[in-house]
Amino acid sequence: MKRLFDFLVALFTLLTLLPVIIVVAVLIRFKLGSPIFFTQARPGLNGKVFKMMKFRTMLDGKDKYGNLLPDNERMTKFGAFLRSTSLDELPGLFNVLKGDMSLVGPRPLLVQYLALYNSEQARRHNVRPGITGWAQVNGRNAISWEQKFKLDVWYVKNQSFLLDIKILLLTIKKVFVREGISADGHVTIEPFKGSNND
């Protein structure tokens, strides 16, 4: 039921928002250059790694040693707008069609975080990762990693079709209000460095 719902809604949304997707892609090419899409390996269901797609939101500025500059130096007003409106997440609908992701579930994080989770936090990988999730509608990037993981695991334990519908509706509200886009002092959120508890 969940997989069928995900596929049909993702397909309908992609077809409906195709003009928006095209306009955003053209603007990214003009304002940020190529590539238009940002792809990165992320762990999915049971920790299986897949390539997550998003629209690019940052420049590729590097220092004299060839290292990427900090996020706050590469983020532009246009990129910040894409993030605040969640337009950068639209390509993730292709991941939903492929079955790598769900519409609702814990957000897919970096592969290197896998070794840092405790046994309880690792339960977030018992379901497909989502474009939005319980943590996203309860603070997004403005809450701590510990709070985020507790919300993720709560969702895994309590997931249901009605809960998914509630999260999707709350997500639409959050997009318009633009709450919790970044953590204090960061353009996104500070890196996860592991938990103090097992």
Side-chain angles (χ1 to χ4, degrees):
M1 176 71 177
K2 182 178 174 74
R3 175 66 189 133
L4 178 62
F5 176 78
D6 284 343
F7 184 88
L8 293 177
V9 172
L11 181 62
F12 174 79
T13 305
L14 279 171
L15 293 175
T16 302
L17 297 182
L18 185 59
V20 175
I21 292 172
I22 292 173
V23 169
V24 171
V26 171
L27 288 174
I28 290 173
R29 180 65 180 85
F30 178 73
K31 292 177 176 290
L32 302 177
S34 61
I36 294 171
F37 298 105
F38 169 78
T39 60
Q40 190 174 54
R42 298 288 176 96
L45 179 64
N46 299 319
K48 181 180 178 182
V49 176
F50 70 97
K51 287 286 187 181
M52 185 190 73
M53 292 180 60
K54 297 177 71 172
F55 273 130
R56 179 184 181 188
T57 58
M58 294 186 185
L59 297 169
D60 286 332
K62 298 180 180 179
D63 61 21
K64 61 181 180 181
Y65 302 107
N67 301 311
L68 285 174
L69 295 172
D71 289 354
N72 62 332
E73 294 184 36
R74 295 188 295 121
M75 179 68 72
T76 64
K77 289 184 178 180
F78 177 64
F81 169 76
L82 292 179
R83 290 198 178 201
S84 68
T85 56
S86 295
L87 287 171
D88 64 318
E89 300 286 355
L90 289 178
L93 293 170
F94 290 106
N95 288 122
V96 176
L97 290 181
K98 290 174 59 183
D100 295 326
M101 294 179 64
S102 175
L103 292 173
V104 178
R107 284 291 296 166
L109 302 175
L110 300 178
V111 174
Q112 55 262 41
Y113 291 173
L114 284 172
L116 302 178
Y117 299 138
N118 61 36
S119 57
E120 182 71 1
Q121 293 166 348
R123 296 183 65 180
R124 68 193 307 281
H125 292 293
N126 290 349
V127 298
R128 283 188 179 90
I131 290 180
T132 187
W134 190 234
Q136 278 58 52
V137 297
N138 283 284
R140 199 170 173 180
N141 288 331
I143 58 177
S144 70
W145 282 112
E146 300 296 332
Q147 292 172 304
K148 188 189 299 284
F149 293 144
K150 285 181 180 178
L151 291 168
D152 286 342
V153 174
W154 183 92
Y155 171 79
V156 172
K157 295 177 179 177
N158 296 275
Q159 61 178 316
S160 68
F161 180 72
L162 289 179
L163 179 58
D164 282 4
I165 296 297
K166 177 181 179 178
I167 292 171
L168 288 172
L169 293 176
L170 287 172
T171 298
I172 295 172
K173 176 185 175 183
K174 288 283 184 179
V175 167
F176 284 103
V177 176
R178 301 188 191 182
E179 292 178 339
I181 298 163
S182 60
D184 290 341
H186 298 268
V187 295
T188 52
I189 188 171
E190 62 180 334
F192 177 56
K193 299 176 182 178
S195 299
N196 294 324
N197 56 338
D198 295 327

